[in-house]
């Protein structure tokens, strides 16, 4: 016995049956339409949902990429105009600037890690000197070291923007070609941080062009306040030191030479000063800007131990080698700021934190050293806009 006669019988007996009466305006008809629409919708989502999602993400990335391109072009234009205004070149420097924007540095081979720090240090020195030489060629009428360093920093900020744009564009094209949801999704997830960094470098261009202090200059600012009124002498590679009487102790206060955009070589400078004193240093205090977490206040001060210095690690390695050799304790003080604050013109909150940081140094010295001791205080960071 089949089910067909039974189904036919139920269909004939069912009241308001659209099939029986030929009416499609009742509740049963609308239910059928809704069911059909739901089935079509589920079919589209099942087979084309990922593609629609990819198109929406690509559109979002495109908007950010156009904005990033505008920031990059503005940075390039700013660098060219600054070099022309200050350097007074006799030829068009645009092709040379474009070459510099694509400048790259290859890390040394690390299969055998022995001696890797010395190799990296050498490559970084060659890179810095090469970039400074290029600036001198593009600005032949500029003989002021301060302005030369500021123009070098301006060019480096434009280089960073150019690199960010090209990396984002690369993954955007890759994702669009392959229609890979995972490539596009990863790019979209990191884009807010990338755009934040790009906007920070864009703000840095103005600061570097006019020689204004930036957030990263807070370390040199603190050192400058401490050494004010005392004789300053130059030590190794663009760093200066002043001998400052401090709470019955002798503080050797150090920073990168200003007021041009310059970070110096803290590792070599500290090594030189320690050797000058035969290792008889009671303590090393390093002061630097530090990245804050969301929810923390800009200009908040924190204390810790270790080498408070960024970069590829060459300077930190040299400092730590000397500390281990002479058993010198190291303390660190950081002034917290956002990633955008580090390269943007210095905010009032960061400037006001300088005096508070000096008080923290005072407390640290009184608690951890005794009268007659000699200690080193190094204000780490870019000394742009900060004199001696």
């Amino acid at each position: 016995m089949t089910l067909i006669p039974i189904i036919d019988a139920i269909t004939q007996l069912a009241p308001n049956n659209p099939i029986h009466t030929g009416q499609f305006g009742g509740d049963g008809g609308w239910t059928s339409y809704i069911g059909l629409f739901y089935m079509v919708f589920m079919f589209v989502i099942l087979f084309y949902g990922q593609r629609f999602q990819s198109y929406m993400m690509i559109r979002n990335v495109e908007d950010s990429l156009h904005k990033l391109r505008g920031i990059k072009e503005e940075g390039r234009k700013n660098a060219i105009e600054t070099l022309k205004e200050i350097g007074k070149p006799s030829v068009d420097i645009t092709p040379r600037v474009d070459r510099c924007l694509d400048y790259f540095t290859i890390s040394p081979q690390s299969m055998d890690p022995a001696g890797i720090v010395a190799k990296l240090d050498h490559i970084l020195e060659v890179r810095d000197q090469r970039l400074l030489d290029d600036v001198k060629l593009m600005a032949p009428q500029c003989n002021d070291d301060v302005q030369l360093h500021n123009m070098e920093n301006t060019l480096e900020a434009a280089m960073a923007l150019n690199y960010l744009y090209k990396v984002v564009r690369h993954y955007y094209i890759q994702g669009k070609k392959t229609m890979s949801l995972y490539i596009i999704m990863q790019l979209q997830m990191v884009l807010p941080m990338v755009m934040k960094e790009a906007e920070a470098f864009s703000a840095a261009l103005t600061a570097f062009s006019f020689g204004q202090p930036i957030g990263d200059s807070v370390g040199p600012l603190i050192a400058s306040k401490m050494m004010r009124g005392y004789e300053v002498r130059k030590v190794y590679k663009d760093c200066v030191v002043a001998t400052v009487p401090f709470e019955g102790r002798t503080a050797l206060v150090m920073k990168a030479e200003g007021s041009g955009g310059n970070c110096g070589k803290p590792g070599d400078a500290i090594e030189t000063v320690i050797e000058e004193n035969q290792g008889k240093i009671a303590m090393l205090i390093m002061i630097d800007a530090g990245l804050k977490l969301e929810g923390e206040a800009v200009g908040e001060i924190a204390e810790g131990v270790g080498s408070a210095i960024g970069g590829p690690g060459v300077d930190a390695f040299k400092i730590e080698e000397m500390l281990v050799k002479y058993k010198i304790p190291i303390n660190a003080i950081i002034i917290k700021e956002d990633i955008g604050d580090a390269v943007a013109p210095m905010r009032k909150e960061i400037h006001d934190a300088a005096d508070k940081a000096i008080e923290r140094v005072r407390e640290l010295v009184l608690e951890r050293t005794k009268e007659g001791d000699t200690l080193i205080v190094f204000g780490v960071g870019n000394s742009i806009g900060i004199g001696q």
Side-chain angles (χ1 to χ4, degrees), residues 196-249:
K196 192 173 184 179
E197 190 171 348
E199 288 166 1
F201 278 115
S202 179
L205 285 164
T206 303
F208 292 142
S209 299
F210 292 99
Q212 298 173 342
I214 60 176
D216 189 52
S217 304
V218 66
L221 173 63
I222 294 167
S224 178
K225 283 175 173 283
M226 293 182 68
M227 63 172 59
R228 187 171 299 159
Y230 296 93
E231 184 181 354
V232 176
R233 64 182 175 90
K234 191 171 180 178
V235 289
Y236 186 89
K237 192 66 176 177
D238 297 335
C239 287
V240 294
V241 59
T243 303
V244 179
F246 193 75
E247 300 296 334
R249 288 82 168 162

Side-chain angles (χ1 to χ4, degrees), residues 1 110 113 124 135 165 171 177 203 234 248 254 289 298 333 367:
M1 181 179 180
S110 57
L124 291 176
V135 170
Y165 169 72
Y171 285 107
K177 278 184 177 179
K234 191 171 180 178
M254 306 177 66
V298 174
I333 295 176
E367 292 171 0

Side-chain angles (χ1 to χ4, degrees), residues 5 8 40 59 74 90 112 119 179 183 217 223 225 235 301 322 330-331 333 353 358 366-367 375 381 384 386:
D8 289 341
V40 172
R59 183 65 180 172
E74 184 65 27
S90 57
D112 181 4
K119 296 176 185 177
M179 287 304 293
I183 294 177
S217 304
K225 283 175 173 283
V235 289
I301 301 172
M322 293 302 297
I330 179 171
N331 288 274
I333 295 176
I358 293 174
L366 290 172
E367 292 171 0
L375 60 115
I384 186 167
I386 307 294

Side-chain angles (χ1 to χ4, degrees), residues 86-101:
I86 298 174
K88 303 292 190 297
S90 57
V91 296
D92 184 17
I93 61 170
T94 302
R96 184 177 285 273
V97 170
D98 289 335
R99 279 211 314 269
C100 287
L101 293 180

